[in-house]
Amino acid sequence: MPEAPQDRSSTVLRLGRASLALLVLLCGFTLLLGFANKDRCAGPEFDEWGRSGPDFHERKYADVCYSDIQFLWIGRDVDRHVFPYVHGSINENGDLVGGTVEYPVLTGLMIWAGALFVDTDAGFLLASALLMAPFGLATAWLLGRLSRWRALIWALSPPLVLYAFHNWELPVVLCAVAAVYVVHRGWGKRGVDRPLIQRASVSAVLLGLGFAFKLYPAIFVLPLMLYVLTGGRGGKELAEGKTRDVAGMVRVALIAMGTAIAVNIPFAVAGFEGWLASFVFQGQRKADITANSIWFWGFRPDSDPGNDSVQEFISFASPVLVIASFVAACVAGWVRYQRERTYPWVAVSAAMLCGFLLLHKVHSPQYTLWLVPMFVLLKIRWGWIAAYFVADFAMGVGIFLWFAQIAARLPSGVYDSFSAQLVMIGVWGRAGLLVGLFIAFLTADSAVDEVEVEAPARA
């Protein structure tokens, strides 16, 4: 007789309101530390453009308090409160002008809103932090509902201190986590008893919105499609007599695409050139010293931005290998599905994210915030998490100390500078760990598939 499919689920007690409140409170404390860290670069004086003084350009690196939020106050017409994209463009030098920013439209809106009522970079940092903090807190709450106390990995993580207010990542992280939540917990009184296609459709909307914040949640649509195709948990949510739900899979894809298009269309219509410029800017970005990727460091010294042939090779090889990693993850997930009868869409999504982070030509430090929820949602060994946090800390601190030495014209070679050595630990440590995590995620048990039960009432 054939071997019965494995059921890796278990019964757990969900976190109560007090526990969830504590979890969110702890996350709030971490976010406060993150803001205090970035706020060290703000003020105490301001010039006529609202830029912090007197020595912002030295402090931002030497004091390791740099943030893209504060830095981009000047240079994208943010300080002039120009509505994004509508009147923007990219000039022949590759510079964005007229209100266009290098991010998708919902992030552009958040940048504009954060600057609307302030007139200094310090005010912009504070307003942006106040706008984004609820997204970080909501992420902690959802992760607590999904994976109980494992959510502390997010709420108390060093990357949250380093990067919560480094860029505009918290809204997109919430979209990705919420997409997992609605599939595995549903909403309202019916919760997970709602039909899979309803839950997956809402998840697809959230992933489409995530695309309009920072693009990366779009890669999770394919694993979600395969989860729907195979009938969800144990294949038990297929209609009677069906072995595959092709229509449901297509519906998920169309909803995700439709959401992303619907959000972008108003901007494309109002100012096509400015809207398109944000995508052109990212496409033209080179693997340079600010990219922190294996491509820049792996091809040194030939990877200088002026070496067009190498940069063209990287621009071709990087997306090809990223896509190959996506295919490999989906195939590995299918092999696991054949054994366990549940397509591991969260595990495959996590592996795909590892492939993207490893092989994309840009690997900004704050991208770690994309990965941290995967440490919560999947049961991987704690050693992986600790090692990644160490490598990430080496990069997150070392890169700015190294930039400070370069700016000060001090010896900054790998054999001359501890900060340069930290960068090497960060770049190659993360790269090696991402390879290992790609495999570890694909074989990891889910932390969200447990059967939740209410805690027994006390007499």
Side-chain angles (χ1 to χ4, degrees), residues 329 336 344-352 374 378 438 440-444:
R336 182 170 170 180
W345 83 280
V346 177
V348 171
S349 297
M352 291 171 71
M374 297 304 183
L378 295 161
F438 183 90
F441 281 139
L442 286 172
T443 58

Side-chain angles (χ1 to χ4, degrees), residues 168-356:
W168 293 269
E169 309 302 327
L170 295 182
V172 69
V173 172
L174 176 62
C175 286
V177 172
V180 175
Y181 182 87
V182 297
V183 171
H184 292 271
R185 295 293 183 269
W187 64 91
K189 291 183 178 180
R190 293 184 64 188
V192 77
D193 290 332
R194 294 177 183 275
L196 173 60
I197 191 58
Q198 286 187 14
R199 305 191 324 265
S201 295
V202 174
S203 180
V205 170
L206 290 164
L207 294 176
L209 290 173
F211 174 87
F213 273 113
K214 279 293 181 79
L215 303 186
Y216 87 89
I219 69 178
F220 302 160
V221 174
L222 180 55
L224 177 60
M225 290 166 60
L226 294 173
Y227 185 75
V228 172
L229 174 71
T230 54
R233 179 91 172 275
K236 297 175 181 178
E237 298 193 73
L238 289 167
E240 187 174 353
K242 277 192 173 184
T243 58
R244 297 286 185 267
D245 186 1
V246 176
M249 177 183 71
V250 173
R251 177 177 172 179
V252 165
L254 292 177
I255 289 174
M257 291 173 58
T259 301
I261 292 171
V263 173
N264 277 272
I265 278 180
F267 294 90
V269 171
F272 182 78
E273 185 179 2
W275 169 80
L276 183 62
S278 64
F279 295 97
V280 173
F281 180 90
Q282 292 295 347
Q284 292 180 350
R285 186 171 179 182
K286 297 182 178 181
D288 59 16
I289 196 172
T290 67
N292 305 307
S293 70
I294 61 171
W295 296 102
F296 176 75
W297 290 106
F299 284 92
R300 297 296 301 144
D302 297 323
S303 56
D304 286 336
N307 191 333
D308 291 337
S309 61
V310 172
Q311 290 293 333
E312 288 174 2
F313 169 76
I314 292 172
S315 294
F316 170 78
S318 172
V320 168
L321 290 177
V322 167
I323 292 171
S325 74
F326 291 174
V327 172
C330 289
V331 170
W334 192 266
V335 171
R336 182 170 170 180
Y337 157 71
Q338 297 285 349
R339 183 175 66 251
E340 299 176 7
R341 311 313 303 167
T342 298
Y343 189 82
W345 83 280
V346 177
V348 171
S349 297
M352 291 171 71
L353 181 56
C354 288
F356 179 85

